[in-house]
Amino acid sequence: MSDATPTTMQAVVCHAPKDYRLERIGKPQARPLELVLRIGACGICASDCKCHSGAAMFWGGETPWVKAPVVPGHEFFGYVEQAGEGAEEHFGVKVGDKVIAEQIVPCEKCRFCKSGQYWMCEVHNIFGFQKDVAEGGMAQYMRIPRTGIVHKIPEAIPLEDCALIEPMSCAIHTVNRGDVQLDDVLVIAGAGTLGLCMVQVAHLKTPRKLVVIDMVDERLELARQFGADVVINPGREDAKAIIAGLTDGYGCDVYIETTGVPVGVTQGLELIRKLGRFVEFSVFGAETSADWSIIGDRKELDVRGAHLGPYCYPIAIDLFERGLITSKGIVTHSFGLDDYAEAFALADSTRSIKVLLTPDAQA
């Protein structure tokens, strides 16, 4: 009689830019203090698309960030399939639980990890980019190493919401970095997945005016449904004039950049008021430039970065469970692993917002 437990699985494997293949590889096994998850869904992030296309930040330099071949994917959730010795106690979960692991795998040894700033870990392994350390969720199963940060997900939260916990956690962190106040005029540039998540979070902060800028009307309409007071399509509207009209000519108090294109940066420097707060979230495919004298000499801006979703996963899970945020309208497409190429092409276009891969773990 053959062993019914599968020893191999299907996975999308990144070998090089534009060289992604669906392969059958060994199913991971949980070592002591490790988990193996059966993947429920894995989203395709804008950074996954940039990695796929060969963006220099992933593949350039003497030590490229991507350690191929590797299974991509960091926007995943799954079910505990196997727990290594001591892992249930270590992570506070049991076999069968629905869980998510944060996208970073901290080293626990660098100055940032030791000070609680784990999301800026100096080693900085991220699921889906470094083989054998943190392979990703575009597979039927994946391994969570000992230093992974795992959170349980209530059973009542539906699949699409579960798949959006990672980007929503990033959105929460970004909006928090903006220190949004009740009398602020807040501008969010970009209404993709992250921008639309930020709109929902920012709406809960009740700023005086919440403004969203994007070139796609359908996304702007969704932003309005999520609580935006004003939406602007800069392809046919004068964003600077509209913002000036809302602020007595001063400019917005907070500008969050999540377009991923250079014009999002230069536009923000123009729209923001003196002493304003500029929050940069995007992952850019190439270098961008701006007149830095605007930041210092002309406006004395407070420029803040936002990276990952530290300490925000429990908040995102709670907000989804309470129905205060949603994936509806954001998750637009779902594909099996067999159709990964179509999924990537769609994700890297304006014909979709969030595209999911939903592997059948029993195949």
Side-chain angles (χ1 to χ4, degrees):
M1 182 180 294
S2 62
D3 186 354
T5 303
T7 58
T8 63
M9 66 174 185
Q10 277 194 327
V12 176
V13 181
C14 162
H15 289 270
K18 300 181 182 178
D19 184 4
Y20 285 47
R21 311 171 199 169
L22 183 64
E23 298 179 358
R24 184 157 286 277
I25 63 176
K27 177 185 173 183
Q29 300 298 312
R31 298 171 296 203
L33 301 182
E34 293 183 345
L35 301 174
V36 169
L37 304 187
R38 174 171 58 87
I39 297 300
C42 183
I44 301 177
C45 178
S47 63
D48 292 320
C49 293
K50 290 181 171 67
C51 183
H52 180 273
S53 66
M57 71 162 291
F58 295 102
W59 300 97
E62 295 181 2
T63 56
W65 196 35
V66 178
K67 305 298 189 295
V70 63
V71 177
H74 58 273
E75 294 184 359
F76 59 84
F77 84 94
Y79 304 86
V80 178
E81 172 84 3
Q82 181 188 19
E85 182 181 355
E88 289 186 326
E89 296 79 9
H90 177 67
F91 289 108
V93 301
K94 294 186 178 300
V95 171
D97 283 350
K98 182 162 64 171
V99 301
I100 188 170
E102 297 195 21
Q103 65 278 78
I104 191 165
V105 184
C107 74
E108 296 187 342
K109 297 178 180 179
C110 71
R111 63 179 292 180
F112 302 108
C113 287
K114 288 182 176 180
S115 65
Q117 298 165 317
Y118 66 91
W119 70 101
M120 297 307 298
C121 173
E122 189 68 14
V123 179
H124 216 73
N125 287 318
I126 299 282
F127 284 111
F129 292 103
Q130 295 88 23
K131 181 174 175 57
D132 295 331
V133 178
E135 295 217 60
M138 295 185 189
Q140 292 178 296
Y141 302 90
M142 69 179 294
R143 180 176 62 89
I144 306 298
R146 178 189 63 82
T147 61
I149 303 172
V150 174
H151 304 279
K152 289 178 66 173
I153 305 173
E155 282 301 321
I157 298 179
L159 180 147
E160 291 81 6
D161 286 356
C162 292
L164 213 64
I165 291 171
E166 189 273 351
M168 190 64 76
S169 300
C170 294
I172 293 168
H173 179 56
T174 302
V175 172
N176 284 343
R177 290 285 286 160
D179 191 23
V180 177
Q181 302 298 309
L182 296 174
D183 61 347
D184 281 340
V185 173
L186 165 62
V187 173
I188 297 175
T193 298
L194 266 298
L196 290 169
C197 287
M198 291 174 196
V199 172
Q200 296 184 66
V201 175
H203 179 61
L204 295 176
K205 297 275 190 178
T206 63
R208 178 159 59 93
K209 289 291 183 184
L210 175 53
V211 183
V212 179
I213 303 176
D214 198 272
M215 296 287 288
V216 181
D217 287 334
E218 292 80 6
R219 297 183 179 189
L220 291 175
E221 176 55 33
L222 195 53
R224 193 184 293 278
Q225 294 175 28
F226 288 152
D229 300 298
V230 178
V231 297
I232 302 171
N233 185 325
R236 62 171 183 271
E237 297 173 286
D238 187 338
K240 185 175 182 180
I242 294 171
I243 298 301
L246 294 172
T247 60
D248 295 325
Y250 286 102
C252 62
D253 303 283
V254 183
Y255 181 91
I256 296 177
E257 197 291 309
T258 184
T259 67
V261 295
V263 70
V265 176
T266 52
Q267 170 186 259
L269 294 176
E270 184 177 31
L271 296 182
I272 198 167
R273 66 166 169 82
K274 296 177 180 178
L275 302 174
R277 301 182 297 284
F278 187 117
V279 184
E280 179 56 62
F281 175 82
S282 291
V283 175
F284 291 88
E287 290 185 3
T288 186
S289 60
D291 180 359
W292 273 60
S293 61
I294 298 172
I295 297 169
D297 182 61
R298 289 170 52 190
K299 291 190 175 181
E300 195 175 323
L301 298 177
D302 188 351
V303 179
R304 306 177 181 185
H307 180 57
L308 306 186
Y311 302 106
C312 293
Y313 281 67
I315 300 171
I317 291 168
D318 176 65
L319 292 175
F320 274 123
E321 187 175 26
R322 289 195 282 154
L324 295 176
I325 54 177
T326 183
S327 63
K328 290 177 181 172
I330 298 177
V331 175
T332 55
H333 298 80
S334 181
F335 294 88
L337 291 178
D338 289 346
D339 298 316
Y340 78 92
E342 182 183 354
F344 264 88
L346 189 61
D348 197 21
S349 75
T350 58
R351 294 178 290 115
S352 69
I353 302 179
K354 174 55 63 184
V355 177
L356 303 182
L357 291 174
T358 53
D360 175 7
Q362 303 306 316

